[in-house]
Amino acid sequence: NSLSGWQTTVIKDECTAYVCRDLEFDVLASQPVVVFLNGEYWGIQCIREYFDDSFVSEEYDFEKDSINMVLHGSGNRPDLPDDWGTVYGTNADHIALYDFLNNNDLSEEVNYNFVLDKLNIESIIDYYCAEIYFNNADWPTNNNKLWQNGIDGKWSQMFYDIDGGWSYLGTSFNALHRALSDNGTAQAAPYATM
C-alpha cells in the first residue's frame, strides 16, 4: 500500500514515478487494481514492479549474478557492519568509492574523472534533483538504492518510495537544505549529505 500516503492521496509514489519515467534513473511501473480477498472488497491498491536483481537483469540484459545492489549508504555507516545494506552481490566497490570521495579533492580533474568512471553521473544528478524537487522527507539516509553491473560497472540510482514527498512534512520542510548539510542532520547521516 502507499504507507504514509495511505490516508491522503494513495497515488503519490506511483504518480511521481510516472512523472519521472523519462529521467536517467530507474522507476517502478505500476498498475492500479481493485482488490477482493475471499470475495470481500479491500479497496484500490497498486501492483508494482520491485527493484531486485531480476528487475536489473530483465531491464538491461545482465546476468543476475553479476549485479551488485546496495541501499542506504551500505558500508558507510559507522554504527553498522560493513556489509550492511548489501542487497545483492558485494558492496566492496561502493565502499571504495565513498573512501575515494572522502579522501580526494574533486576539483582536480583526474579525481573528478575517476568518479565519472564509477558513477552514472546523469542518473545521480537526475535522482538528486527529483528527490529535492519532490521534497522527500524520507531521504537521503533512507530510500536510497543503487545498482552496478559487475565490479567495473557504473553505479546507477533507483527511484522509489516518494510517499514522504510532496509536502508530507508541510511546506516548511526543505530537502535541499538537508541534502546540502556539511555534517548531516538529525534526519540525514553525514555520508548521505554533500
Side-chain angles (χ1 to χ4, degrees):
N1 68 34
S2 298
L3 300 175
S4 58
W6 182 248
Q7 299 298 323
T8 54
T9 67
V10 184
I11 61 168
K12 227 190 287 188
D13 197 27
E14 293 84 353
C15 179
T16 308
Y18 182 79
V19 168
C20 295
R21 70 191 180 280
D22 293 327
L23 296 176
E24 293 297 321
F25 48 71
D26 293 303
V27 297
L28 300 170
S30 61
Q31 175 65 50
V33 294
V34 175
V35 176
F36 288 87
L37 283 176
N38 297 326
E40 182 181 346
Y41 176 71
W42 276 56
I44 298 171
Q45 297 285 332
C46 196
I47 297 174
R48 301 196 70 186
E49 292 179 301
Y50 183 71
F51 285 139
D52 60 8
D53 55 347
S54 294
F55 175 91
V56 175
S57 176
E58 291 171 19
E59 188 74 19
Y60 295 96
D61 198 30
F62 294 141
E63 295 294 324
K64 284 173 70 169
D65 62 359
S66 73
I67 296 165
N68 300 314
M69 190 177 294
V70 299
L71 51 85
H72 313 322
S74 177
N76 295 287
R77 298 184 67 163
D79 55 328
L80 297 168
D82 281 348
D83 63 348
W84 180 90
T86 303
V87 182
Y88 299 101
T90 176
N91 69 349
D93 191 58
H94 190 253
I95 292 171
L97 175 60
Y98 266 87
D99 184 57
F100 185 88
L101 290 169
N102 289 326
N103 294 300
N104 290 279
D105 181 357
L106 296 188
S107 68
E108 294 181 23
E109 188 174 358
V110 66
N111 293 338
Y112 184 70
N113 287 335
F114 175 83
V115 172
L116 292 181
D117 286 339
K118 292 292 185 178
L119 290 176
N120 175 345
I121 200 69
E122 292 83 9
S123 173
I124 305 301
I125 290 170
D126 279 0
Y127 173 79
Y128 270 76
C129 287
E131 290 283 2
I132 291 166
Y133 179 80
F134 289 108
N135 212 24
N136 191 359
D138 201 12
W139 173 86
T141 302
N142 294 321
N143 302 322
N144 193 336
K145 189 180 276 190
L146 297 103
W147 70 270
Q148 169 195 49
N149 181 40
I151 193 116
D152 296 323
K154 292 184 178 188
W155 289 99
S156 295
Q157 289 284 171
M158 300 174 134
F159 187 69
Y160 69 104
D161 201 359
I162 312 299
D163 56 309
W166 298 70
S167 297
Y168 172 70
L169 291 181
T171 56
S172 63
F173 174 73
N174 186 331
L176 177 61
H177 175 73
R178 181 186 285 180
L180 293 176
S181 170
D182 287 337
N183 300 310
T185 67
Q187 299 81 24
Y191 76 83
T193 63
M194 297 177 192

